[in-house]
Amino acid sequence: MTSNDVIYDKIHFRHDSKWSGRLGPAEGGGMLLCVACVIEMLESDDIASVRKSFALSGISGVLKCSPGALRELLRQDHGVSLRFITSLLEMLHTTEVAVTLEKVEQVLVLLLLELQSDLSFHFVLDQIHRQLSDQLSLKSFIPTFNFLGSLMEAVPNVGQSLVTQYVPLLEHLCSAWLYPDERLKASVLCVWLKLFGAAGGLTAHSLPTAIRDRVCMLLLQTLANASSPQLINKSIGLLWLLVQQGDAVSVLMNTPSNQIMCDDNQNIPISSSQNQEQQSPEQCHLPLILKKLLLSGDDALQVTSTKCIASILAHSPSQYSAAIIKADIPEFLFDRVASTRSDLLLWSVYSCLLLLVEDPLFFSQCHSVYGIESLVRSLKEALQLTDLDVSKQGLLLLAEILERQPPSVHLFPSVPGFVAVLEAVLAGVSTSCLLVATQAVSAASSLFRLNHQSRPVQYRALKLLVESITNRISELPLPSSAHRKNSGSLKKLDPCNLFSRSEGFLLQALVCFQAACRLAEECASEPVLKENTFTAPSKQNQAQESLECLCQCLLSCCDSVWIPIVVRMSECTPNSQMLQFFYSILSSQFTLLPALMPVFANKMASSHFYRLALEHKVLFCAGDRNPHLNASCCGFLQKLSMCLLSQSDTAFASHQHDAEEVENILLHSLPSLSCRLLDWPSLLCESPGLQLCDYKGPRATQYCVVIILHLAMQHGDRLLPDQTVFSSVVWLLCSVQEQGSCTLPPSVLRCALQLLAVTQDKSTSLDGARLNCISKVLSSYQSFSSLYTHHPALLHFICRYQELAHKFGPLVLELWLTRKGHNTGEELTMAEEGQDAGPDTEVMEMLSVLEKYPAVILTLLDMVCTKEASLAERALVVLEGVLCNQQDYVADLCAALMSALLQALQKLSVENVGHGLGQGSTTEVNSLPLVLRLLCVTHARESPPSFYSKMDGMHFKLLYHVCNIAGRLNPNNTESLVPALNYLYCCLNMSPPLCTDRAVSMLLSNSGLIEQLQTVLSSSSAPSLSLSAGPPSALLCCSHLLLSSLITLQHAHSTQVQKSISWSLDAAVQRILLQKRNIDNLLLVSYLKLLQALLNVDLTSRVVSMSTGPGLVGSRPLTVEDGALYPLGSRGAQCLSTVLSGLLLQKHELLLRASVNCLGSLLGFLQRRSPTTAKYVVCQPWSRFCLSCLLSSGESCLLHPAILRLIRLVSCYTHFTCQSNQLLQQGSTAVQWEPDLVQVMDTVERRGVKELSQEATQALGQLLAEIQSGVSHPPPTEELKQRVRSMMESLRPPPPTESCSSSLPSNILYPKVQVIVTHSRSQSALNT
């Protein structure tokens, strides 16, 4: 026998060998075991506990290591098996050694599992029942109860047998529960724990009601009086199992306190009637017991008790929550969350409170006010834990409290409390887990309620929360278009995938953003909240803590982040609920910041939001589906449309009735408009018949479609092809006209008319019937201006059809010119920066209209003649623009205008016979200045061949009428005199020599014109008259120019003069000399032009009777030199030369040219009258200094045509003066012109001949030709001559060389067109 054998040698010899065997692993030889020896040792009182324990250890080892071996031995005799079991059961009562008892319990359980016999199980239960029935000491049953609990845990079927076949045994267990020993109670509770937990709690459902109710009673008594931790833990464990059953919960919650507090030794029966009776919450004792457990320091007890509360509430919150709330358990739960970091306890408490907040009593007893601070503090801790479920549960609880809190009770009366909860929500939004962030956003949605806002409202904190959510939105991993086809299957396979969580977060964020917008709207409606009266008095705080700052944040976030993301999400996976909140948010923006809505609305419309919203209505709202989404879409479309109409249609904005009418049409028609865009043409072509209301019914739906088509197309979103829109709108207008009983609302007709105008280019022209129908529709309104829209397309549409142009063309043109369109952002920016925004948009558009429809020109001319000043002025600007910009048909245009202008002048002459011409009567418009201005521009643009051929006809008649009008005008009527004199000057200056003789003869024979010129010149020549008191500069300038032309042409043709004009040469020279700084440059040019003309005719002309004074010719008797130069005199010649040199140094373009021309005429006059004086003028140092200054002013000035002519003059007249004075030594005092020529040639060679303008090339060629001809003095060197020849060859063939003694061409100063445009357009400025 080995040391491991289980054999008792003293008695083993008596036993049959069949009860012995070597059992155990074969490789170790096994262990020799005698079942009979084991049984006798266990039954004998003389055997030591150590030996019994050894034997039990052996048996246990065999049962564990060799399953089935012991069963084979015991199968030989069933009685031996039962005797073995009985001896083990007896040991549970007799053995006091804990180690031995533990092994007995272990072997007994293993043995029963080994036998796997129902008879054995029943035998054990029968034995235990018999022992309890024999009234043995219950204290000794502790091991038995422990064994029974272990057996039910190992063999769940035992529990089922107990509840079905051994009810008396269960009653004994209940009786044993009453024993005062807590160790015994704990062992009994162990049995009940295993029983109620067997088979997942299914066994407990078969338990008799009476037994279950008694167990509930005993458990409550035990919980009320238990003191040992073991008993409390087992009791609370059993309670957790019981509260899983609804019936047990009913018993536990309806047991009154007086029964629970009875003596434990009393066995109180519970009748069924008492069990069903509902006790008042104050009598229920279980909540008090649970509250006591919550106060314990054991986290496990707190967790279990909290779970028990949650389980009780889960069965029937409405029935049991009142008792728990009135027991103040919520306060204890809030205290627990504030003092623990256990994630399990936090989750349990959060879950329990979530069930409690469903009862309004929770809020009426102010538990939310009491616990909100603790909850916020615990949330901040929970968000730092690794268990994300705890954070989710806590944020869910916060959201529920915020959502259910009655508005009358404020959770955050002070700012710190509100800021604390907002910080907790911010932390949740910022967490990395999307599910937690989603729950945090849900809490934020409730936090945005008005009753949760502190005073003052923390707009800056709310703005920070909005921005945080927006930033989180921008980081979402959204699906791309590639996932669109697979998005549905992905969601079905894995509802928790990343894209699904992103979509869930976005949906909740939209709810939150909508709540923020709603809060802003509510605050805006309350003046106290809008002003935020109690904000700290700091400018920075007031700016940040303002409602406007929050609204701007909402609009900015919506525009930059929310709209792009939601649109992208809807393109991949459209979601009706998400779109409902999205369109509601967009609608709110129109209320928050009305001032910024025009820009926002334009951006929405230009981003195809009309199409987007309408497609979503078709997708989700057709067939009366998703009414909330339909309402959101319609609200957005209505506000968008009203905003766009108010800013684009001035008539709409000014007529309240029109606005209400459109709003009613949209309000009642948009909800039913859920058909596809492709079905809209058929909808517009339906004939709905008579309807009683203008904004309800099928016809109103057609009106709604027209409005939307117009607004969408206005912003670049063509919902339908242009041809389809055009034909459909035409059909609608004809249908309304034929019906006759109803008229289109003005706002709808405006939209329809605009649609026709915009789509006309890609559509066929209207036939007679339809055009007549549209004309009738437009004529049915008393005021066409109420239908007018300031858009180029409408202008083209009306002018395109003769019938429409005849009826409405003048009015449309008038409205077009009087109403300014909206400036674009680019134009506004250019205006702010001071840049030239280019031609007037209205004028440029009119030019394109006139190009297509020339007949409109006559309408514009009629406007110039008959309309008020501002409108006539704009019409004139248009006509001037046409004349200046058109090249193709300018001849025909000028011919038509000339004829019309002649008629206008004739009419004006006739109408003004009775009163002063150009003054206008009290009822007539003074259009003469504008007609004359237009005549000037038309004359300037007419081609010379046309002028030549018509000078004898129409042009001569025009000249005649203008000449007569100018002579009859009041001298103070500068507005008309300036263009009249300007026209006369242009005719003389631009006419060919064959025609000018008749023209100058007619002008000089008109005494009224001569007197008019005399009046103007006399008023400017008075020596005591200041410049400001004289005639306007423009009038004086035109008079000088006209007089200079008359002098030149009269001298050329020897025309007879009936009356001369008196003019003071002395006053003119003195004014130029002494007041040149105060004289306008153009006026100076005109003075020089007049002096040039007079000098060219040697200051003797029949047209002008000149007077002089001592300032020019000196005192009498005159010297020989003064007499030769009379009336200028030598002193006058020197003064005039000095003046011209000074004007040259100003380098003004016109002055430079005029000064050179006048200087040339002066030198010619001096050369003819007094060569000595001419030599003096040319050779004086001042002349050389002036030329040097000009030549040193840079290459651009050096190669200026006027400077080249000046060099030519100097070289030419140096030669003349030297020839006339033979005593003068060559080069002694002559001006050295050769260095100047060399400098010019060096500059030309450096820049290249091709860089010179045509005029500069001509002037250079003339200079070089004279040098080459040898007229210059001193003569050039051979080297210079060679350079001159080379440069001459590189130049274009120069024009014929002109004599230096003759004056330079007059057109050098004034190019033909430039002078007219300059004087006509500068009239207003010159008048001042």
Short mmCIF file of all heavy atoms in Angstrom, two decimals, residues 438 441-442 445 448 469-470 473 476 502-518 554 557-558 561-563 565-567 569-570 575-586 588-589:
data_model
loop_
_atom_site.label_atom_id
_atom_site.label_comp_id
_atom_site.label_asym_id
_atom_site.label_seq_id
_atom_site.Cartn_x
_atom_site.Cartn_y
_atom_site.Cartn_z
N THR A 438 -21.61 63.17 -30.01
CA THR A 438 -23.01 63.27 -30.44
C THR A 438 -23.92 63.51 -29.26
O THR A 438 -24.84 64.34 -29.32
CB THR A 438 -23.43 61.98 -31.17
OG1 THR A 438 -22.56 61.76 -32.28
CG2 THR A 438 -24.86 62.08 -31.66
N VAL A 441 -23.53 67.07 -28.06
CA VAL A 441 -24.26 68.00 -28.91
C VAL A 441 -25.75 67.96 -28.59
O VAL A 441 -26.44 68.99 -28.63
CB VAL A 441 -24.00 67.69 -30.39
CG1 VAL A 441 -24.87 68.54 -31.29
CG2 VAL A 441 -22.54 67.92 -30.73
N SER A 442 -26.25 66.79 -28.25
CA SER A 442 -27.65 66.68 -27.85
C SER A 442 -27.91 67.49 -26.58
O SER A 442 -28.93 68.18 -26.47
CB SER A 442 -28.01 65.20 -27.62
OG SER A 442 -29.32 65.07 -27.13
N SER A 445 -28.07 71.09 -27.44
CA SER A 445 -29.35 71.48 -28.02
C SER A 445 -30.33 71.91 -26.94
O SER A 445 -31.05 72.91 -27.10
CB SER A 445 -29.94 70.31 -28.82
OG SER A 445 -29.04 69.86 -29.80
N PHE A 448 -29.49 75.33 -25.25
CA PHE A 448 -29.82 76.53 -26.01
C PHE A 448 -31.26 77.00 -25.79
O PHE A 448 -31.70 77.92 -26.47
CB PHE A 448 -29.59 76.30 -27.50
CG PHE A 448 -28.16 76.47 -27.94
CD1 PHE A 448 -27.45 75.41 -28.47
CD2 PHE A 448 -27.54 77.69 -27.81
CE1 PHE A 448 -26.14 75.57 -28.87
CE2 PHE A 448 -26.23 77.86 -28.22
CZ PHE A 448 -25.53 76.79 -28.74
N ILE A 469 -18.78 73.23 -32.10
CA ILE A 469 -19.55 72.22 -32.83
C ILE A 469 -19.28 72.34 -34.33
O ILE A 469 -19.14 71.33 -35.04
CB ILE A 469 -21.05 72.39 -32.52
CG1 ILE A 469 -21.31 72.12 -31.03
CG2 ILE A 469 -21.88 71.44 -33.38
CD1 ILE A 469 -22.72 72.40 -30.60
N THR A 470 -19.18 73.55 -34.81
CA THR A 470 -18.91 73.76 -36.24
C THR A 470 -17.53 73.22 -36.62
O THR A 470 -17.37 72.59 -37.67
CB THR A 470 -19.00 75.26 -36.57
OG1 THR A 470 -20.30 75.74 -36.21
CG2 THR A 470 -18.79 75.50 -38.05
N ILE A 473 -17.72 69.59 -36.86
CA ILE A 473 -18.41 69.20 -38.09
C ILE A 473 -17.43 69.18 -39.27
O ILE A 473 -17.45 68.28 -40.12
CB ILE A 473 -19.57 70.16 -38.36
CG1 ILE A 473 -20.76 69.84 -37.46
CG2 ILE A 473 -20.02 70.10 -39.81
CD1 ILE A 473 -21.45 68.56 -37.79
N LEU A 476 -15.41 65.98 -39.76
CA LEU A 476 -16.09 64.69 -39.92
C LEU A 476 -15.60 63.96 -41.17
O LEU A 476 -15.42 64.58 -42.23
CB LEU A 476 -17.60 64.89 -40.01
CG LEU A 476 -18.34 65.25 -38.73
CD1 LEU A 476 -19.82 65.44 -39.03
CD2 LEU A 476 -18.16 64.19 -37.66
N SER A 502 -20.79 59.42 -38.27
CA SER A 502 -20.65 60.80 -38.73
C SER A 502 -22.01 61.38 -39.10
O SER A 502 -22.32 62.53 -38.77
CB SER A 502 -19.72 60.86 -39.94
OG SER A 502 -18.43 60.43 -39.60
N GLU A 503 -22.81 60.58 -39.76
CA GLU A 503 -24.14 61.06 -40.14
C GLU A 503 -24.99 61.32 -38.91
O GLU A 503 -25.75 62.30 -38.84
CB GLU A 503 -24.81 60.03 -41.04
CG GLU A 503 -26.14 60.49 -41.62
CD GLU A 503 -26.71 59.49 -42.61
OE1 GLU A 503 -26.02 58.49 -42.89
OE2 GLU A 503 -27.82 59.72 -43.09
N GLY A 504 -24.88 60.43 -37.91
CA GLY A 504 -25.62 60.64 -36.66
C GLY A 504 -25.19 61.91 -35.95
O GLY A 504 -26.01 62.66 -35.42
N PHE A 505 -23.89 62.15 -35.93
CA PHE A 505 -23.39 63.37 -35.29
C PHE A 505 -23.88 64.60 -36.05
O PHE A 505 -24.29 65.60 -35.45
CB PHE A 505 -21.86 63.35 -35.24
CG PHE A 505 -21.26 64.56 -34.61
CD1 PHE A 505 -21.14 64.65 -33.23
CD2 PHE A 505 -20.83 65.63 -35.38
CE1 PHE A 505 -20.60 65.77 -32.63
CE2 PHE A 505 -20.29 66.76 -34.79
CZ PHE A 505 -20.17 66.83 -33.41
N LEU A 506 -23.83 64.54 -37.37
CA LEU A 506 -24.26 65.68 -38.17
C LEU A 506 -25.73 65.97 -37.95
O LEU A 506 -26.15 67.14 -37.85
CB LEU A 506 -23.98 65.41 -39.64
CG LEU A 506 -24.38 66.50 -40.64
CD1 LEU A 506 -23.69 67.81 -40.29
CD2 LEU A 506 -24.06 66.08 -42.06
N LEU A 507 -26.54 64.94 -37.87
CA LEU A 507 -27.97 65.13 -37.62
C LEU A 507 -28.21 65.82 -36.28
O LEU A 507 -28.98 66.78 -36.18
CB LEU A 507 -28.69 63.78 -37.67
CG LEU A 507 -30.18 63.80 -37.34
CD1 LEU A 507 -30.94 64.71 -38.30
CD2 LEU A 507 -30.75 62.39 -37.37
N GLN A 508 -27.53 65.32 -35.24
CA GLN A 508 -27.72 65.92 -33.92
C GLN A 508 -27.17 67.34 -33.89
O GLN A 508 -27.72 68.22 -33.22
CB GLN A 508 -27.02 65.06 -32.86
CG GLN A 508 -27.35 65.45 -31.43
CD GLN A 508 -28.84 65.39 -31.16
OE1 GLN A 508 -29.49 64.37 -31.34
NE2 GLN A 508 -29.39 66.51 -30.74
N ALA A 509 -26.06 67.56 -34.61
CA ALA A 509 -25.50 68.90 -34.67
C ALA A 509 -26.46 69.87 -35.36
O ALA A 509 -26.56 71.04 -34.98
CB ALA A 509 -24.16 68.87 -35.39
N LEU A 510 -27.16 69.40 -36.38
CA LEU A 510 -28.16 70.25 -37.04
C LEU A 510 -29.28 70.62 -36.09
O LEU A 510 -29.76 71.76 -36.09
CB LEU A 510 -28.72 69.53 -38.27
CG LEU A 510 -27.81 69.47 -39.49
CD1 LEU A 510 -28.36 68.49 -40.52
CD2 LEU A 510 -27.64 70.84 -40.11
N VAL A 511 -29.71 69.66 -35.28
CA VAL A 511 -30.73 69.94 -34.27
C VAL A 511 -30.22 71.03 -33.32
O VAL A 511 -30.94 71.96 -32.95
CB VAL A 511 -31.10 68.67 -33.50
CG1 VAL A 511 -32.07 68.97 -32.38
CG2 VAL A 511 -31.68 67.62 -34.44
N CYS A 512 -28.98 70.89 -32.91
CA CYS A 512 -28.38 71.87 -31.99
C CYS A 512 -28.27 73.24 -32.64
O CYS A 512 -28.58 74.26 -32.02
CB CYS A 512 -27.01 71.36 -31.55
SG CYS A 512 -26.15 72.47 -30.43
N PHE A 513 -27.82 73.28 -33.88
CA PHE A 513 -27.68 74.57 -34.56
C PHE A 513 -29.03 75.24 -34.75
O PHE A 513 -29.15 76.46 -34.64
CB PHE A 513 -27.00 74.35 -35.91
CG PHE A 513 -26.37 75.58 -36.48
CD1 PHE A 513 -25.09 75.95 -36.12
CD2 PHE A 513 -27.05 76.38 -37.37
CE1 PHE A 513 -24.50 77.10 -36.63
CE2 PHE A 513 -26.47 77.53 -37.89
CZ PHE A 513 -25.20 77.89 -37.51
N GLN A 514 -30.04 74.44 -35.02
CA GLN A 514 -31.38 75.00 -35.13
C GLN A 514 -31.83 75.58 -33.80
O GLN A 514 -32.46 76.64 -33.75
CB GLN A 514 -32.36 73.93 -35.59
CG GLN A 514 -33.77 74.46 -35.82
CD GLN A 514 -34.81 73.36 -35.87
OE1 GLN A 514 -34.63 72.32 -35.24
NE2 GLN A 514 -35.87 73.57 -36.61
N ALA A 515 -31.50 74.87 -32.71
CA ALA A 515 -31.85 75.39 -31.38
C ALA A 515 -31.14 76.71 -31.10
O ALA A 515 -31.71 77.63 -30.49
CB ALA A 515 -31.49 74.35 -30.31
N ALA A 516 -29.88 76.83 -31.53
CA ALA A 516 -29.15 78.08 -31.34
C ALA A 516 -29.81 79.21 -32.13
O ALA A 516 -29.92 80.34 -31.64
CB ALA A 516 -27.70 77.89 -31.77
N CYS A 517 -30.22 78.92 -33.35
CA CYS A 517 -30.91 79.93 -34.16
C CYS A 517 -32.24 80.33 -33.52
O CYS A 517 -32.60 81.52 -33.49
CB CYS A 517 -31.14 79.41 -35.58
SG CYS A 517 -29.63 79.11 -36.52
N ARG A 518 -32.95 79.34 -32.99
CA ARG A 518 -34.22 79.65 -32.34
C ARG A 518 -34.00 80.51 -31.09
O ARG A 518 -34.77 81.43 -30.80
CB ARG A 518 -34.94 78.34 -31.98
CG ARG A 518 -36.32 78.55 -31.37
CD ARG A 518 -37.07 77.24 -31.20
NE ARG A 518 -36.34 76.31 -30.36
CZ ARG A 518 -35.79 75.18 -30.81
NH1 ARG A 518 -35.89 74.86 -32.09
NH2 ARG A 518 -35.16 74.37 -29.99
N LEU A 554 -23.43 82.70 -36.22
CA LEU A 554 -24.32 81.69 -36.79
C LEU A 554 -24.34 81.77 -38.31
O LEU A 554 -24.26 80.75 -39.01
CB LEU A 554 -25.73 81.87 -36.23
CG LEU A 554 -25.93 81.53 -34.75
CD1 LEU A 554 -27.32 81.97 -34.29
CD2 LEU A 554 -25.73 80.06 -34.49
N CYS A 557 -20.82 80.62 -39.73
CA CYS A 557 -20.65 79.16 -39.66
C CYS A 557 -21.56 78.47 -40.66
O CYS A 557 -21.16 77.51 -41.33
CB CYS A 557 -20.94 78.67 -38.25
SG CYS A 557 -19.74 79.22 -37.01
N CYS A 558 -22.78 78.95 -40.76
CA CYS A 558 -23.73 78.35 -41.70
C CYS A 558 -23.22 78.48 -43.13
O CYS A 558 -23.28 77.52 -43.92
CB CYS A 558 -25.08 79.02 -41.54
SG CYS A 558 -26.37 78.39 -42.64
N VAL A 561 -19.38 76.49 -43.40
CA VAL A 561 -19.19 75.08 -43.02
C VAL A 561 -20.45 74.26 -43.21
O VAL A 561 -20.46 73.24 -43.91
CB VAL A 561 -18.69 74.97 -41.56
CG1 VAL A 561 -18.55 73.51 -41.16
CG2 VAL A 561 -17.36 75.69 -41.40
N TRP A 562 -21.54 74.70 -42.60
CA TRP A 562 -22.73 73.84 -42.56
C TRP A 562 -23.32 73.59 -43.94
O TRP A 562 -23.65 72.45 -44.28
CB TRP A 562 -23.78 74.48 -41.65
CG TRP A 562 -23.38 74.48 -40.22
CD1 TRP A 562 -22.64 75.42 -39.58
CD2 TRP A 562 -23.66 73.47 -39.24
NE1 TRP A 562 -22.45 75.07 -38.27
CE2 TRP A 562 -23.06 73.89 -38.03
CE3 TRP A 562 -24.35 72.28 -39.26
CZ2 TRP A 562 -23.15 73.13 -36.87
CZ3 TRP A 562 -24.45 71.52 -38.10
CH2 TRP A 562 -23.85 71.95 -36.92
N ILE A 563 -23.44 74.65 -44.71
CA ILE A 563 -24.06 74.48 -46.03
C ILE A 563 -23.24 73.55 -46.92
O ILE A 563 -23.80 72.60 -47.50
CB ILE A 563 -24.26 75.86 -46.70
CG1 ILE A 563 -25.34 76.63 -45.94
CG2 ILE A 563 -24.64 75.71 -48.16
CD1 ILE A 563 -25.56 78.04 -46.46
N ILE A 565 -21.15 71.15 -46.11
CA ILE A 565 -21.11 69.79 -45.60
C ILE A 565 -22.46 69.10 -45.76
O ILE A 565 -22.54 67.94 -46.18
CB ILE A 565 -20.65 69.80 -44.13
CG1 ILE A 565 -19.16 70.13 -44.06
CG2 ILE A 565 -20.93 68.46 -43.46
CD1 ILE A 565 -18.59 70.16 -42.67
N VAL A 566 -23.53 69.79 -45.44
CA VAL A 566 -24.85 69.17 -45.56
C VAL A 566 -25.18 68.89 -47.02
O VAL A 566 -25.75 67.84 -47.36
CB VAL A 566 -25.92 70.06 -44.91
CG1 VAL A 566 -27.31 69.49 -45.14
CG2 VAL A 566 -25.66 70.19 -43.42
N VAL A 567 -24.83 69.80 -47.90
CA VAL A 567 -25.07 69.58 -49.33
C VAL A 567 -24.28 68.37 -49.81
O VAL A 567 -24.80 67.53 -50.56
CB VAL A 567 -24.69 70.84 -50.13
CG1 VAL A 567 -24.71 70.54 -51.62
CG2 VAL A 567 -25.66 71.96 -49.82
N MET A 569 -23.26 65.85 -47.96
CA MET A 569 -23.86 64.65 -47.38
C MET A 569 -25.15 64.28 -48.09
O MET A 569 -25.42 63.10 -48.35
CB MET A 569 -24.12 64.89 -45.89
CG MET A 569 -24.79 63.73 -45.18
SD MET A 569 -23.75 62.26 -45.06
CE MET A 569 -22.73 62.71 -43.65
N SER A 570 -25.95 65.28 -48.43
CA SER A 570 -27.22 64.97 -49.10
C SER A 570 -27.01 64.45 -50.51
O SER A 570 -27.85 63.72 -51.04
CB SER A 570 -28.09 66.23 -49.13
OG SER A 570 -27.48 67.24 -49.91
N ASN A 575 -31.03 62.42 -46.46
CA ASN A 575 -31.71 62.08 -45.22
C ASN A 575 -32.79 63.12 -44.98
O ASN A 575 -32.50 64.31 -44.86
CB ASN A 575 -30.71 62.05 -44.06
CG ASN A 575 -31.33 61.60 -42.75
OD1 ASN A 575 -32.24 62.25 -42.24
ND2 ASN A 575 -30.84 60.52 -42.21
N SER A 576 -34.04 62.69 -44.94
CA SER A 576 -35.15 63.64 -44.82
C SER A 576 -35.10 64.41 -43.51
O SER A 576 -35.37 65.62 -43.47
CB SER A 576 -36.48 62.89 -44.95
OG SER A 576 -36.60 61.91 -43.93
N GLN A 577 -34.77 63.71 -42.43
CA GLN A 577 -34.74 64.38 -41.14
C GLN A 577 -33.63 65.44 -41.09
O GLN A 577 -33.82 66.55 -40.58
CB GLN A 577 -34.54 63.35 -40.03
CG GLN A 577 -34.79 63.89 -38.63
CD GLN A 577 -34.67 62.81 -37.58
OE1 GLN A 577 -34.29 61.67 -37.88
NE2 GLN A 577 -35.01 63.14 -36.35
N MET A 578 -32.49 65.08 -41.65
CA MET A 578 -31.37 66.02 -41.68
C MET A 578 -31.73 67.25 -42.53
O MET A 578 -31.45 68.39 -42.14
CB MET A 578 -30.15 65.32 -42.26
CG MET A 578 -28.87 66.13 -42.21
SD MET A 578 -27.51 65.23 -42.97
CE MET A 578 -27.45 63.77 -41.95
N LEU A 579 -32.35 67.03 -43.66
CA LEU A 579 -32.72 68.15 -44.53
C LEU A 579 -33.80 69.01 -43.90
O LEU A 579 -33.83 70.24 -44.13
CB LEU A 579 -33.20 67.61 -45.88
CG LEU A 579 -32.13 66.94 -46.74
CD1 LEU A 579 -32.76 66.28 -47.95
CD2 LEU A 579 -31.08 67.95 -47.16
N GLN A 580 -34.65 68.42 -43.09
CA GLN A 580 -35.68 69.21 -42.42
C GLN A 580 -35.05 70.28 -41.52
O GLN A 580 -35.40 71.46 -41.57
CB GLN A 580 -36.57 68.29 -41.58
CG GLN A 580 -37.53 69.03 -40.67
CD GLN A 580 -38.18 68.10 -39.68
OE1 GLN A 580 -38.31 66.90 -39.91
NE2 GLN A 580 -38.60 68.64 -38.54
N PHE A 581 -34.08 69.86 -40.71
CA PHE A 581 -33.42 70.82 -39.82
C PHE A 581 -32.56 71.79 -40.63
O PHE A 581 -32.43 72.96 -40.28
CB PHE A 581 -32.56 70.08 -38.79
CG PHE A 581 -33.36 69.26 -37.83
CD1 PHE A 581 -33.30 67.87 -37.84
CD2 PHE A 581 -34.19 69.86 -36.91
CE1 PHE A 581 -34.03 67.11 -36.96
CE2 PHE A 581 -34.94 69.11 -36.00
CZ PHE A 581 -34.86 67.73 -36.03
N PHE A 582 -31.98 71.31 -41.70
CA PHE A 582 -31.10 72.15 -42.52
C PHE A 582 -31.88 73.32 -43.12
O PHE A 582 -31.45 74.48 -43.02
CB PHE A 582 -30.48 71.29 -43.62
CG PHE A 582 -29.64 72.05 -44.60
CD1 PHE A 582 -28.52 72.75 -44.18
CD2 PHE A 582 -29.97 72.08 -45.94
CE1 PHE A 582 -27.74 73.46 -45.09
CE2 PHE A 582 -29.19 72.78 -46.85
CZ PHE A 582 -28.08 73.46 -46.42
N TYR A 583 -33.01 73.05 -43.73
CA TYR A 583 -33.79 74.13 -44.32
C TYR A 583 -34.40 75.04 -43.27
O TYR A 583 -34.59 76.23 -43.49
CB TYR A 583 -34.87 73.55 -45.23
CG TYR A 583 -34.33 73.01 -46.52
CD1 TYR A 583 -34.39 71.65 -46.83
CD2 TYR A 583 -33.71 73.85 -47.44
CE1 TYR A 583 -33.87 71.16 -48.01
CE2 TYR A 583 -33.18 73.37 -48.63
CZ TYR A 583 -33.27 72.02 -48.91
OH TYR A 583 -32.74 71.53 -50.07
N SER A 584 -34.69 74.47 -42.11
CA SER A 584 -35.17 75.32 -41.01
C SER A 584 -34.08 76.29 -40.56
O SER A 584 -34.35 77.46 -40.26
CB SER A 584 -35.63 74.44 -39.85
OG SER A 584 -36.04 75.23 -38.76
N ILE A 585 -32.83 75.83 -40.53
CA ILE A 585 -31.70 76.70 -40.17
C ILE A 585 -31.55 77.81 -41.20
O ILE A 585 -31.34 78.98 -40.86
CB ILE A 585 -30.42 75.86 -40.05
CG1 ILE A 585 -30.49 74.96 -38.81
CG2 ILE A 585 -29.18 76.75 -40.00
CD1 ILE A 585 -29.38 73.92 -38.75
N LEU A 586 -31.62 77.45 -42.47
CA LEU A 586 -31.49 78.47 -43.52
C LEU A 586 -32.59 79.51 -43.42
O LEU A 586 -32.35 80.71 -43.63
CB LEU A 586 -31.52 77.80 -44.89
CG LEU A 586 -30.35 76.86 -45.22
CD1 LEU A 586 -30.51 76.30 -46.63
CD2 LEU A 586 -29.01 77.57 -45.09
N SER A 588 -34.04 80.49 -40.70
CA SER A 588 -33.79 81.33 -39.53
C SER A 588 -32.82 82.46 -39.84
O SER A 588 -32.90 83.54 -39.24
CB SER A 588 -33.23 80.48 -38.38
OG SER A 588 -34.13 79.47 -38.01
N GLN A 589 -31.89 82.25 -40.76
CA GLN A 589 -30.90 83.28 -41.06
C GLN A 589 -31.55 84.56 -41.58
O GLN A 589 -31.04 85.66 -41.36
CB GLN A 589 -29.89 82.76 -42.09
CG GLN A 589 -29.20 81.47 -41.71
CD GLN A 589 -28.57 81.51 -40.33
OE1 GLN A 589 -27.84 82.44 -40.00
NE2 GLN A 589 -28.85 80.50 -39.54
#
